[in-house]
């Protein structure tokens, strides 16, 4: 559990940093904002599934220009994931969750694998956002785990 909790803390940190980079770049690239929103909604979709709720009502790919709404989603996700994980025992990680994907196809996946998906999915898209920022001549932001894990220099 210690590793999963630490990786989740990295995810919350990286989500915030990528939003700060988007905000600072003042980008008008709707695809980059769409990617950021996608990550936030996907995190929420997986959390809903972990909580035994449906997720069909969520649209994973929508245009947006509202970074503050995306930030609010990320903050709410972080709060809800922290509560969920705090109540989770190591022995429960290999239990399976029954859910339907956004197309209605039914699956069973372990809690461990769902949490791993959430962690890896966001990192993949944060990389895409950073690449887009660089293409706009904006400054990409470091979101690697090692940057998060290193002691802060002051």
């Amino acid at each position: 559990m210690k590793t999963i909790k630490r990786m989740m803390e990295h995810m919350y940190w990286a989500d915030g940093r990528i939003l700060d980079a988007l905000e600072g770049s003042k980008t008008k690239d709707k695809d980059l904002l769409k990617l950021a929103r996608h990550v936030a909604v996907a995190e929420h979709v997986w959390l809903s599934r972990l909580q035994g709720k449906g997720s069909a009502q969520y649209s994973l790919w929508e245009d947006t220009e509202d970074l503050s709404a995306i930030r609010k989603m990320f903050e709410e996700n972080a709060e809800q994931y922290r509560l969920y994980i705090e109540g989770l025992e190591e022995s429960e990680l290999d239990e399976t969750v029954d859910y339907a994907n956004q197309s209605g196809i039914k699956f069973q996946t372990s809690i461990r694998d769902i949490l791993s998906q959430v962690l890896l999915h966001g990192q993949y898209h944060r990389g895409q956002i950073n690449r887009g920022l660089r293409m706009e001549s904006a400054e990409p932001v470091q979101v690697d785990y090692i940057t998060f894990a290193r002691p802060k220099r002051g």
Side-chain angles (χ1 to χ4, degrees), residues 19 23 30 33-34 36-37 62-73:
L19 284 177
E23 221 166 55
K30 291 182 183 189
L33 300 177
K34 188 176 192 175
R37 182 192 174 279
E62 281 184 12
D63 289 333
T64 186
E65 293 182 23
D66 190 353
L67 268 173
S68 62
I70 297 170
R71 187 176 298 277
K72 184 176 180 191
M73 274 192 274

Side-chain angles (χ1 to χ4, degrees), residues 10 36 41 44 68 94 106 113-114 124 132 137 139-140:
H10 166 259
V41 174
H44 188 75
S68 62
D94 292 316
K106 295 185 189 272
D113 285 341
I114 288 173
Y124 170 75
S137 298
E139 191 63 33

Side-chain angles (χ1 to χ4, degrees), residues 69-95:
I70 297 170
R71 187 176 298 277
K72 184 176 180 191
M73 274 192 274
F74 277 131
E75 289 168 357
E76 289 171 359
N77 288 344
E79 181 181 327
Q80 291 302 308
Y81 270 107
R82 282 185 177 108
L83 287 171
Y84 175 80
I85 289 172
E86 206 50 49
L88 194 62
E89 298 293 327
E90 178 85 29
S91 60
E92 295 174 292
L93 288 173
D94 292 316
E95 291 179 7

Side-chain angles (χ1 to χ4, degrees), residues 32-45:
L32 297 182
L33 300 177
K34 188 176 192 175
L35 274 172
R37 182 192 174 279
H38 170 76
V39 172
V41 174
E43 286 178 12
H44 188 75
V45 163

Side-chain angles (χ1 to χ4, degrees), residues 14 46 56 71 78 110 151:
W46 284 110
R71 187 176 298 277
S110 72

Side-chain angles (χ1 to χ4, degrees), residues 126-149:
R126 285 187 290 275
Q128 290 179 310
I129 292 167
N130 264 333
R131 182 175 185 273
L133 288 171
R134 179 170 278 130
M135 290 174 66
E136 287 189 359
S137 298
E139 191 63 33
V141 65
Q142 185 58 256
V143 292
D144 283 348
Y145 178 81
I146 196 67
T147 303
F148 165 79

